[in-house]
């Protein structure tokens, strides 16, 4: 059964640094998503990606965030200058299937 | 906008007890409805789904019926096990092939032996 994979599983970074979170979605799916879950809180939609461009984004997804599908396989989320409040689990989804998540810790 | 209201937890049950976790959604459009489960330290796993009114989703002994008249999608299981201990999230989709999901706050279930 195809699955969504994410790397790394855990990323620790200093405030102000750039991070790139990687995802390999399911190959024949059309819609890809990033969500985040701050510890103990609900899962929040960040952005959806369809046909190689952003189709929808939330208020959370400000200019510090960007997404790319650079090679037709990987799907990345970049945070340009991390803040303490960016610490969360970040989930990639391929249609309704979620990856295992990347725990981002900003110090 | 779209929203999902889910029963606040935590819920603590004894093994073999009956489980209900309530979930209601805003009625805009014709959403698909989902339950996800998050085991400790793990990601989100799709538990079950329903795409239209009166559909019943079921998996691993869990069931939920899409009730349009009450805008509800309550999760039930007749006899819970210790291994069912997890956080359960109700979610609604935007409809069609777009799976942008709006989640409820999650309900922590603890099942004691």
């Amino acid at each position: 059964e195809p699955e969504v994979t994410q790397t790394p599983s855990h990323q620790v970074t200093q405030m102000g640094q750039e991070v790139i979170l990687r995802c390999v979605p399911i190959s024949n799916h059309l819609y890809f998503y990033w969500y985040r879950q701050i510890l103990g809180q609900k899962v929040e939609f960040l952005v959806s990606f369809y046909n190689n461009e952003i189709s929808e984004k939330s208020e959370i997804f400000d200019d510090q965030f960007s997404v790319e599908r650079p090679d037709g396989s990987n799907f990345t989320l970049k945070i340009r200058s991390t803040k303490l409040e960016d610490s969360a689990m970040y989930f990639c989804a391929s249609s309704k299937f979620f990856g295992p998540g990347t725990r981002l810790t900003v110090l | 906008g779209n929203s999902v209201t889910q029963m606040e937890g935590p819920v603590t049950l004894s093994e073999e007890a009956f489980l209900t976790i309530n979930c209601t959604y805003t009625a805009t459009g014709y959403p698909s409805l989902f339950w996800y489960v998050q085991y400790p330290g793990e990601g989100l796993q799709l538990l079950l789904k329903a795409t239209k009114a009166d559909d019943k989703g079921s998996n691993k002994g869990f069931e939920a019926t899409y009730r349009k008249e009450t805008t509800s999608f309550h999760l039930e299981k007749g006899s819970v096990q210790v291994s069912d201990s997890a956080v359960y999230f109700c979610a609604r989709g935007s409809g069609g092939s777009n799976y942008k999901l709006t989640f409820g706050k999650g309900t922590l279930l603890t099942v004691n032996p």
Side-chain angles (χ1 to χ4, degrees):
Chain A
E1 182 176 309
E3 59 181 19
V4 181
T5 59
Q6 289 185 244
T7 54
S9 56
H10 192 186
Q11 174 89 46
V12 181
T13 190
Q14 296 290 325
M15 191 169 56
Q17 295 296 303
E18 174 183 286
V19 294
I20 298 176
L21 310 183
R22 291 183 168 81
C23 169
V24 179
I26 297 169
S27 60
N28 61 345
H29 285 184
L30 299 177
Y31 279 92
F32 311 121
Y33 308 84
W34 283 101
Y35 295 81
R36 80 171 184 192
Q37 183 185 29
I38 294 172
L39 185 64
Q41 299 187 24
K42 70 176 180 179
V43 180
E44 300 173 290
F45 166 78
L46 291 178
V47 64
S48 59
F49 195 82
Y50 172 74
N51 203 24
N52 286 324
E53 60 183 27
I54 291 173
S55 58
E56 190 173 352
K57 59 184 180 180
S58 72
E59 293 175 351
I60 303 167
F61 195 87
D62 61 21
D63 292 344
Q64 293 297 314
F65 291 89
S66 62
V67 289
E68 273 191 331
R69 195 155 189 240
D71 56 11
S73 174
N74 292 286
F75 178 49
T76 62
L77 175 69
K78 181 192 291 186
I79 309 175
R80 289 189 184 81
S81 178
T82 51
K83 303 186 283 285
L84 295 176
E85 54 265 35
D86 293 328
S87 295
M89 281 289 287
Y90 287 82
F91 292 106
C92 172
S94 183
S95 76
K96 56 187 178 289
F97 300 103
F98 281 71
T102 293
R103 179 169 298 285
L104 176 65
T105 302
V106 182
L107 303 176
Chain B
N2 296 335
S3 68
V4 174
T5 303
Q6 189 175 338
M7 186 171 110
E8 296 277 338
V11 174
T12 302
L13 296 173
S14 298
E15 207 164 24
E16 299 183 4
F18 184 85
L19 169 70
T20 300
I21 302 178
N22 290 338
C23 171
T24 57
Y25 63 93
T26 52
T28 309
Y30 302 93
S32 294
L33 301 172
F34 305 85
W35 278 99
Y36 284 83
V37 58
Q38 186 176 34
Y39 297 104
E42 296 187 15
L44 294 165
Q45 295 181 25
L46 177 62
L47 181 60
L48 54 83
K49 66 178 176 67
T51 57
K52 61 183 188 298
D54 301 325
D55 267 3
K56 179 187 281 188
S58 60
N59 186 24
K60 299 181 182 179
F62 291 89
E63 293 183 340
T65 300
Y66 191 141
R67 301 279 187 208
K68 192 177 177 185
E69 64 276 13
T70 54
T71 62
S72 65
F73 193 55
H74 305 323
L75 182 69
E76 296 181 336
K77 187 173 185 183
S79 176
V80 293
Q81 305 300 311
V82 172
S83 57
D84 294 327
S85 298
V87 180
Y88 291 81
F89 291 93
C90 184
R92 63 160 282 163
S94 298
S97 58
N98 184 349
Y99 287 98
K100 176 197 168 190
L101 299 176
T102 301
F103 284 85
K105 291 185 177 180
T107 302
L108 173 63
L109 170 67
T110 301
V111 181
N112 295 317

